[in-house]
Amino acid sequence: MNIAVGRSVPRPDAEPKVRGEATYGVDFGLAGTAYGALVRSPVAAGRILGIDTTAAEQMPGVRLVATAEHAPKILSGLALNDQPLFASDVVRFEGEPIAAVVADTLEQAREAARAVRVEIEVTEAVATIESALADGAPLVHDHWDSYTSAIGTEWPRAGNVCGEMVADQGGVDAAFADADVVVEDTFVADRQYQAYLEPKSATGVYESGRYTIHAAHQYHWNVRDRTAAALGVRPSDVRVVGHYMGGGFGAKLDTGIEPYAALLARLAGAPVKMVNDRVEDLLTCASRENAVVRVRSGVTEDGRIVAREFLVDMDAGAYAGDTVFLTSIPIFVAGSLYDVGPTRVRSRAVYTNTAPTGAFRGVSGTYLFFALERHTDNLANAIGMDRREFRMRNLVAAGSSMLNGQVLEDAHILRTAFDAAEELAPWSSLGAGPNRGVGIAAAVWLTNPMPGNATLKLNVDGTLTVVTGAAEIGTGAVVMGIRQIAAEELGMPAEDVVVTMPDTDAQGYDGGAQGSRTTHVAGRAVREAAVGVRRRVFDTAAMLLNATPDELELAGGAVRVADHPERSVTLAEVARTALFDRGTITGTGSYATPPVKHDPDAATGLLFPGFPTPTYHVHVAEVEVDPETGKVTVLRYIVVQEVGGTISPAGIEGQIQGGVAQGLGYALYESLQVGDDGRYRQRTLESYRLPIALDVPRVESVILEHGSEAGPYGAKGAAEPPIVPVAAAIGNAVADATGGPVRRIPITPEDVLEALDHARGEGSA
């Protein structure tokens, strides 16, 4: 019987967070701290004609005003070196930093920033994907061809296309010619703001030639490396210290204001703290990208998919960021759920004069599966077949290959998930009644790779310290998952395990809180570290118990002789004895997900070549639409989620509920719309429209366990997948309820009314 794994144990961070005692990044302060504020471009596109800092420099409390003249003349980026710290000649999006002010207080810094005068000649903004791709479109980057790769490899790009992935299996056109029916759809998705509670903040320190950055961040090593690149120093010249984090959802994976805090600390000769206000955060955050997806498929009259074309254009914003990596995701979505015959996939990341986009829980999968599964419904409807039956007829089987050549050995789990959903909520029993509809959607999703590292230290009081760079973003992956794994390995209650905050000077590399990787990867590193700890524990205890190590076992915070449990010694006694024998008992482990076997010739521009440690999911939604107002009410929501192995049941249930809530916001409410001038129309949380508790139904969930050999206690990723199929399930249910087309995210009341009009023959197709 497990001591810690598989149990819902209390979170050690719950009480300090609820009581307001936790020190978040935004709360952190040092003696003598000054405050920084950025001067940001008020327009989306223009030429800088002059910057006048005179008035700002004379204001009370102001210590300095910095511009591009005070920063290294370096272009850097996550994948492509295309971004300066400060704009000097041109501005490419509203909110782009032009200058910075350091003052005694945050209020003084912000007031002085408003006093900096920037003369800008406004130029035509390339505000949409369509305008960026049009013939003769203005270039967002005149010198795009001079930019170098930040990752040591090149990929296809040209003009306003900063990244392109193309896969063509051949024979696609011939297969379309042989199809009985061809259906073509276009889907559009807006941007989504991560809307975390804690705005971005950072405190920079410069002393003895090194930078230290205090930040609440998801990926501390990325902050280190990206700051070093922007400032032209070695990564080891930058230290990043983590703190409690008030949410991130992907927005705190790349750098934001951290490099500025570091640079200003050096220029000011004092610690400098920077905090975004909410409007500033919303306008400049790397939100989920907007996109256009075109899907064309050929089917036979008996319901077999025989050909597919999947074309995706995603908006990178003014700088490439991580969007060039995301161009790889469509190849994994287009053919992961169903056998689709010969397939062509093209995905492009496009520069526009808008705020750079970036990671958000589920990355591009939310709108890609929306497009795929909405299209799947349309295929079934086109040949008059039941939508669930059509899916089951084309469902992939164990041993099927994805379009990159990766074999899905455990794809049979997908059928198991469909069966589990049917058992809980029979398809034929849902969606009955006027203005009601039912939708079903599936997804195959990855568990992110990247290295993880952990050191376990047995303390002289018998407790255990886990030293790891893994970041606790709020999911519980660290404070529950890693902690419970460590406790299980050493046979002690989870309450006796403490996990440290990230510190890039003190811990080994960790790939960050992203893509549900923490429990799977860092948890595996903990298990590896436990091997050395147990060996030392048993060697020391064997001496104390006059036994051999292989006769011993761990249980209840003690070591005992397996055949004579009355002969035991506490872990505290073992640790104290070892301390004065060979020193503190420690063990270090590391793990990195092995590269996925794939066909390297499957595509060009494939920067993310595999979908490691896949998991399988089916969602079912039942909705009711109001024919007068267009309001959508979610009556029932079912999730079948495969997790590998369960470490914390409460943690998984919480992530499912939260992921669905966030997915409902994306599907029905949230949208950052870009105007013709390249500026956001929604500029506050009030206008952004987040869902409230009354909008979110009780989520019924079924957990499937098919353990991963690599994962600790079989665990795979669990936190990210629940958001991925939500928009698809809701979209299919709304289309079923209205009888009309649903082609965009979010599905607004106006969209619902238009779909109803179309079904009555009163609207356009």
Side-chain angles (χ1 to χ4, degrees), residues 159-173:
N160 284 330
V161 176
C162 58
E164 182 176 48
M165 186 279 299
V166 176
D168 193 332
Q169 293 183 319
V172 176
D173 295 329

PDB file of all heavy atoms in Angstrom, residues 159-173:
ATOM      1  N   GLY A 159      10.106  37.257 -46.069  1.00  0.00           N
ATOM      2  CA  GLY A 159       9.222  38.410 -45.930  1.00  0.00           C
ATOM      3  C   GLY A 159       8.526  38.450 -44.591  1.00  0.00           C
ATOM      4  O   GLY A 159       9.165  38.432 -43.528  1.00  0.00           O
ATOM      5  N   ASN A 160       7.198  38.501 -44.600  1.00  0.00           N
ATOM      6  CA  ASN A 160       6.425  38.516 -43.360  1.00  0.00           C
ATOM      7  C   ASN A 160       6.145  37.124 -42.810  1.00  0.00           C
ATOM      8  O   ASN A 160       5.477  36.993 -41.783  1.00  0.00           O
ATOM      9  CB  ASN A 160       5.099  39.261 -43.575  1.00  0.00           C
ATOM     10  CG  ASN A 160       5.283  40.770 -43.611  1.00  0.00           C
ATOM     11  OD1 ASN A 160       6.187  41.313 -42.973  1.00  0.00           O
ATOM     12  ND2 ASN A 160       4.431  41.457 -44.367  1.00  0.00           N
ATOM     13  N   VAL A 161       6.645  36.094 -43.474  1.00  0.00           N
ATOM     14  CA  VAL A 161       6.528  34.730 -42.952  1.00  0.00           C
ATOM     15  C   VAL A 161       7.819  34.402 -42.213  1.00  0.00           C
ATOM     16  O   VAL A 161       8.868  34.210 -42.826  1.00  0.00           O
ATOM     17  CB  VAL A 161       6.276  33.716 -44.087  1.00  0.00           C
ATOM     18  CG1 VAL A 161       6.267  32.290 -43.527  1.00  0.00           C
ATOM     19  CG2 VAL A 161       4.962  34.021 -44.795  1.00  0.00           C
ATOM     20  N   CYS A 162       7.735  34.367 -40.873  1.00  0.00           N
ATOM     21  CA  CYS A 162       8.954  34.127 -40.091  1.00  0.00           C
ATOM     22  C   CYS A 162       9.213  32.652 -39.833  1.00  0.00           C
ATOM     23  O   CYS A 162      10.253  32.288 -39.280  1.00  0.00           O
ATOM     24  CB  CYS A 162       8.913  34.899 -38.773  1.00  0.00           C
ATOM     25  SG  CYS A 162       7.511  34.537 -37.702  1.00  0.00           S
ATOM     26  N   GLY A 163       8.285  31.801 -40.227  1.00  0.00           N
ATOM     27  CA  GLY A 163       8.511  30.369 -40.094  1.00  0.00           C
ATOM     28  C   GLY A 163       7.472  29.599 -40.884  1.00  0.00           C
ATOM     29  O   GLY A 163       6.299  30.002 -40.937  1.00  0.00           O
ATOM     30  N   GLU A 164       7.910  28.514 -41.524  1.00  0.00           N
ATOM     31  CA  GLU A 164       6.970  27.711 -42.312  1.00  0.00           C
ATOM     32  C   GLU A 164       7.328  26.241 -42.186  1.00  0.00           C
ATOM     33  O   GLU A 164       8.497  25.861 -42.258  1.00  0.00           O
ATOM     34  CB  GLU A 164       7.001  28.131 -43.778  1.00  0.00           C
ATOM     35  CG  GLU A 164       6.012  27.366 -44.649  1.00  0.00           C
ATOM     36  CD  GLU A 164       5.990  27.868 -46.084  1.00  0.00           C
ATOM     37  OE1 GLU A 164       7.092  28.019 -46.666  1.00  0.00           O
ATOM     38  OE2 GLU A 164       4.897  28.109 -46.609  1.00  0.00           O
ATOM     39  N   MET A 165       6.313  25.418 -41.963  1.00  0.00           N
ATOM     40  CA  MET A 165       6.477  23.966 -41.925  1.00  0.00           C
ATOM     41  C   MET A 165       5.587  23.379 -43.013  1.00  0.00           C
ATOM     42  O   MET A 165       4.409  23.740 -43.126  1.00  0.00           O
ATOM     43  CB  MET A 165       6.075  23.418 -40.558  1.00  0.00           C
ATOM     44  CG  MET A 165       6.340  21.919 -40.353  1.00  0.00           C
ATOM     45  SD  MET A 165       5.076  20.823 -41.058  1.00  0.00           S
ATOM     46  CE  MET A 165       3.624  21.322 -40.169  1.00  0.00           C
ATOM     47  N   VAL A 166       6.138  22.490 -43.837  1.00  0.00           N
ATOM     48  CA  VAL A 166       5.383  21.862 -44.918  1.00  0.00           C
ATOM     49  C   VAL A 166       5.613  20.361 -44.880  1.00  0.00           C
ATOM     50  O   VAL A 166       6.752  19.893 -44.817  1.00  0.00           O
ATOM     51  CB  VAL A 166       5.790  22.420 -46.300  1.00  0.00           C
ATOM     52  CG1 VAL A 166       5.045  21.671 -47.405  1.00  0.00           C
ATOM     53  CG2 VAL A 166       5.506  23.908 -46.387  1.00  0.00           C
ATOM     54  N   ALA A 167       4.516  19.604 -44.917  1.00  0.00           N
ATOM     55  CA  ALA A 167       4.571  18.145 -45.016  1.00  0.00           C
ATOM     56  C   ALA A 167       3.609  17.720 -46.112  1.00  0.00           C
ATOM     57  O   ALA A 167       2.450  18.140 -46.119  1.00  0.00           O
ATOM     58  CB  ALA A 167       4.180  17.503 -43.686  1.00  0.00           C
ATOM     59  N   ASP A 168       4.077  16.910 -47.030  1.00  0.00           N
ATOM     60  CA  ASP A 168       3.231  16.432 -48.131  1.00  0.00           C
ATOM     61  C   ASP A 168       3.593  14.979 -48.399  1.00  0.00           C
ATOM     62  O   ASP A 168       4.697  14.674 -48.852  1.00  0.00           O
ATOM     63  CB  ASP A 168       3.441  17.296 -49.373  1.00  0.00           C
ATOM     64  CG  ASP A 168       2.376  17.045 -50.441  1.00  0.00           C
ATOM     65  OD1 ASP A 168       1.832  15.923 -50.481  1.00  0.00           O
ATOM     66  OD2 ASP A 168       2.100  17.972 -51.219  1.00  0.00           O
ATOM     67  N   GLN A 169       2.650  14.085 -48.104  1.00  0.00           N
ATOM     68  CA  GLN A 169       2.923  12.661 -48.255  1.00  0.00           C
ATOM     69  C   GLN A 169       2.914  12.202 -49.706  1.00  0.00           C
ATOM     70  O   GLN A 169       3.317  11.087 -50.012  1.00  0.00           O
ATOM     71  CB  GLN A 169       1.884  11.856 -47.470  1.00  0.00           C
ATOM     72  CG  GLN A 169       1.979  12.038 -45.968  1.00  0.00           C
ATOM     73  CD  GLN A 169       0.972  11.155 -45.248  1.00  0.00           C
ATOM     74  OE1 GLN A 169      -0.167  11.007 -45.673  1.00  0.00           O
ATOM     75  NE2 GLN A 169       1.400  10.569 -44.142  1.00  0.00           N
ATOM     76  N   GLY A 170       2.420  13.063 -50.605  1.00  0.00           N
ATOM     77  CA  GLY A 170       2.299  12.665 -51.995  1.00  0.00           C
ATOM     78  C   GLY A 170       0.992  11.942 -52.256  1.00  0.00           C
ATOM     79  O   GLY A 170       0.426  11.292 -51.368  1.00  0.00           O
ATOM     80  N   GLY A 171       0.500  12.059 -53.452  1.00  0.00           N
ATOM     81  CA  GLY A 171      -0.743  11.385 -53.819  1.00  0.00           C
ATOM     82  C   GLY A 171      -1.996  12.037 -53.279  1.00  0.00           C
ATOM     83  O   GLY A 171      -3.091  11.455 -53.362  1.00  0.00           O
ATOM     84  N   VAL A 172      -1.880  13.231 -52.713  1.00  0.00           N
ATOM     85  CA  VAL A 172      -3.023  13.882 -52.092  1.00  0.00           C
ATOM     86  C   VAL A 172      -4.066  14.266 -53.139  1.00  0.00           C
ATOM     87  O   VAL A 172      -5.267  13.998 -52.978  1.00  0.00           O
ATOM     88  CB  VAL A 172      -2.566  15.130 -51.299  1.00  0.00           C
ATOM     89  CG1 VAL A 172      -3.766  15.868 -50.715  1.00  0.00           C
ATOM     90  CG2 VAL A 172      -1.597  14.722 -50.187  1.00  0.00           C
ATOM     91  N   ASP A 173      -3.631  14.894 -54.201  1.00  0.00           N
ATOM     92  CA  ASP A 173      -4.575  15.356 -55.217  1.00  0.00           C
ATOM     93  C   ASP A 173      -5.295  14.184 -55.885  1.00  0.00           C
ATOM     94  O   ASP A 173      -6.500  14.260 -56.163  1.00  0.00           O
ATOM     95  CB  ASP A 173      -3.847  16.205 -56.257  1.00  0.00           C
ATOM     96  CG  ASP A 173      -3.283  17.491 -55.666  1.00  0.00           C
ATOM     97  OD1 ASP A 173      -3.894  18.016 -54.714  1.00  0.00           O
ATOM     98  OD2 ASP A 173      -2.225  17.954 -56.139  1.00  0.00           O
TER      99      ASP A 173
END
